[in-house]
Amino acid sequence: MFGGYTDAQWAGIAFVLLGIALILAVLLRRFVPFLAALYIPASVIAGFLILLLGPQVLGSITGGWSLIPPEAASVMARLPGLMINIVFAGIMIGKNLPSVRQIWNESAPHVILGSVFSFGQFALGAFAVAFILTPLFGLPDAAGSILELSFAGGHGTIAGMGGILEEAGAPEVVDIGLGLATISMITGVIGGSILVNWAIRSPRVEVARQAPTHGDGPASLQQVRPNTGDQASPGDLGLGAMSRAFGAIAVAIALAIVILEVLRWITNAFGSHIFDAFPLFPFTVIGGFLVQLVLTATKHEYLVERRNVNDISGLALDVLIAAAIGTMSLQALGSNIPSLAILTLIALAWSVVGMLWLGHRIHRTHWFEHSIADFGQSQGNVATGFVLADMADPDRTTNAARAYGYKQLIYEPFLGGGILTAFSVPIILQIGSVAFGVVSLAATVLLILWGTLRGRRSGDRNRIP
């Protein structure tokens, strides 16, 4: 069916097959209602289609032939580590940069609760690996931060950490992490939906939601401020809107490369190699911030529209998820089922308990609408948080969606796939999972104390059962 192609041609064929898989996933989602009802993204479905039709499943049944040739699958396996740079580079570009005071006043409870979830995942995951999973099931100690990498971080974070985990002799951790990241999307939506329906039916919890749950996407993701650049034709500027957004993202990634190379040069000069295998993507957030800062300072922010950045980042994220799921190792997953089950139970229990116990103590008003968004992010990704916030408050009668959006400006560069998340693996390799767990536990306790004291001082939070 497939002839001889060059490496570049196989790369092109891989993107063609990815595009076809995404379209088939959309059709499947349309004609299988429960997939849409569970808010399972088409990119996740596409990933499973690639997995089923590729060398690992169809190829093993037919003795080697599959609809996804091994050469194309090999290209797809490398895409997540590249696409994550585009996703993170676009986080800050095209956005208004409000004052630091405004951002902090609205987002502080979200930042604190989100950080509690993340450091708690670090601690629980590290202790589970050190005391249960390594002794009983042989999981490498390098997997100590896998809960945060997978649940709060997601597919892109795990894929981006692939190089350093492989260098540490723990390549199976990547496949386990991809499996957990896929599971987290399901537990986030299903678990969040159960919590929303419980809150609506509970007379002791005030929820702003008045309308029935609907299947529309999160409204906040659709509300993008009109930009004067939309009125300018490509001829006026010499470049179309999508191309300008692509150029801005490219500059952000280039700046990130420079930052990382400088850090490598400095640390190598002092005899350290900590940044040699460090992933690029956390620094692309900094690159994107610098790009937007220059655009804002020179009053040229109109040149890059947020909707175009969203389109490019969205495409990169869909490709990332589909390729990551479609190429994860079934052999590695099959041999680590107990670890997957234990880590999933720990992550889900921590998010549920953390939300119900701390949500009303940290968020001052409309605690449920705010904390359900943080729950969603701790279990899935940023979009999952918006979906659950939309379920709890579809008319946006509270500021939960805006505050949750502001949270990403502070939280994402550091946790949930940011710099601290990326540093977790090198730190574990240096001090071990037990010591890492102790440090993470201490940070979790301090954050809980800070959040509860801050909430208590405000004196105006809603009551909880």
Side-chain angles (χ1 to χ4, degrees), residues 222-238:
Q222 313 299 328
Q223 296 171 352
V224 182
R225 182 179 62 86
N227 200 304
T228 54
D230 294 337
Q231 312 303 321
S233 66
D236 296 332
L237 299 171

Side-chain angles (χ1 to χ4, degrees), residues 378-459:
S378 75
Q379 282 291 299
N381 50 39
V382 177
T384 303
F386 276 118
V387 168
L388 295 179
D390 187 56
M391 291 174 66
D393 182 17
D395 296 326
R396 292 290 184 258
T397 57
T398 72
N399 73 329
R402 185 175 68 246
Y404 175 67
Y406 282 160
K407 166 194 175 181
Q408 311 313 320
L409 301 177
I410 303 173
Y411 173 87
E412 282 288 345
F414 300 100
L415 293 165
I419 293 175
L420 293 180
T421 299
F423 261 116
S424 65
V425 175
I427 291 173
I428 288 172
L429 294 176
Q430 292 292 320
I431 67 175
S433 284
V434 174
F436 179 77
V438 171
V439 173
S440 299
L441 179 60
T444 304
V445 172
L446 290 175
L447 285 165
I448 290 173
L449 291 175
W450 180 25
T452 53
L453 288 174
R454 189 179 186 279
R456 189 177 300 167
R457 282 198 301 268
S458 69

Side-chain angles (χ1 to χ4, degrees), residues 257-292:
I257 293 173
V258 171
I259 293 171
L260 182 55
E261 289 298 327
V262 169
L263 288 173
R264 286 172 176 167
W265 180 78
I266 293 173
T267 54
N268 287 344
F270 286 94
S272 173
H273 300 280
I274 189 171
F275 286 105
D276 285 4
F278 203 82
L280 175 67
F281 68 88
F283 299 102
T284 62
V285 180
I286 300 174
F289 175 79
L290 293 175
V291 168
Q292 188 60 34

Side-chain angles (χ1 to χ4, degrees), residues 16 33 58 84 87 98 118 134 194 196 205 226 250 260-261 283-284 351 354 358 380 403 420 436:
V16 169
L58 183 58
I84 187 61
V87 174
S118 284
T134 297
I194 292 172
V196 170
V205 182
L260 182 55
E261 289 298 327
F283 299 102
T284 62
S351 292
L358 294 171
L420 293 180
F436 179 77

Side-chain angles (χ1 to χ4, degrees), residues 109-366:
H110 284 280
V111 173
I112 296 171
L113 184 56
S115 299
V116 167
F117 280 138
S118 284
F119 278 103
Q121 287 176 346
F122 278 143
L124 292 171
F127 291 144
V129 167
F131 298 123
I132 302 175
L133 303 180
T134 297
L136 296 182
F137 305 108
L139 194 69
D141 190 65
S145 61
I146 193 170
L147 273 191
E148 211 272 348
L149 287 171
S150 304
F151 279 79
H155 295 88
T157 301
I158 286 290
M161 298 300 294
I164 195 168
L165 287 169
E166 289 177 8
E167 187 173 282
E172 67 272 31
V173 173
V174 178
D175 294 305
I176 296 171
L178 291 174
L180 288 172
T182 304
I183 292 170
S184 74
M185 288 186 165
I186 300 172
T187 58
V189 172
I190 294 178
S193 299
I194 292 172
L195 286 169
V196 170
N197 283 282
W198 164 78
I200 291 169
R201 288 169 173 77
S202 174
R204 296 174 296 176
V205 182
E206 295 181 8
V207 182
R209 179 176 181 262
Q210 300 295 328
T213 302
H214 52 79
D216 297 335
S220 62
L221 295 182
Q222 313 299 328
Q223 296 171 352
V224 182
R225 182 179 62 86
N227 200 304
T228 54
D230 294 337
Q231 312 303 321
S233 66
D236 296 332
L237 299 171
L239 202 60
M242 188 66 72
S243 299
R244 297 196 301 271
F246 173 75
I249 290 174
V251 171
I253 295 174
L255 290 172
I257 293 173
V258 171
I259 293 171
L260 182 55
E261 289 298 327
V262 169
L263 288 173
R264 286 172 176 167
W265 180 78
I266 293 173
T267 54
N268 287 344
F270 286 94
S272 173
H273 300 280
I274 189 171
F275 286 105
D276 285 4
F278 203 82
L280 175 67
F281 68 88
F283 299 102
T284 62
V285 180
I286 300 174
F289 175 79
L290 293 175
V291 168
Q292 188 60 34
L293 189 65
V294 170
L295 289 172
T296 301
T298 59
K299 300 188 185 304
H300 284 84
E301 65 267 30
Y302 68 91
L303 293 176
V304 180
E305 293 87 16
R306 181 63 197 172
R307 60 178 57 81
N308 298 127
V309 175
N310 282 342
D311 287 341
I312 295 173
S313 298
L315 172 62
L317 185 60
D318 287 337
V319 168
L320 184 160
I321 293 172
I325 295 175
T327 58
M328 62 183 176
S329 171
L330 293 179
Q331 182 179 0
L333 292 177
S335 59
N336 288 280
I337 290 176
S339 297
L340 286 168
I342 292 170
L343 289 168
T344 297
L345 288 174
I346 291 173
L348 182 58
W350 168 239
S351 292
V352 172
V353 172
M355 177 194 163
L356 296 181
W357 178 48
L358 294 171
H360 67 101
R361 290 180 168 87
I362 292 178
H363 286 287
R364 300 184 295 272
T365 58
H366 303 292

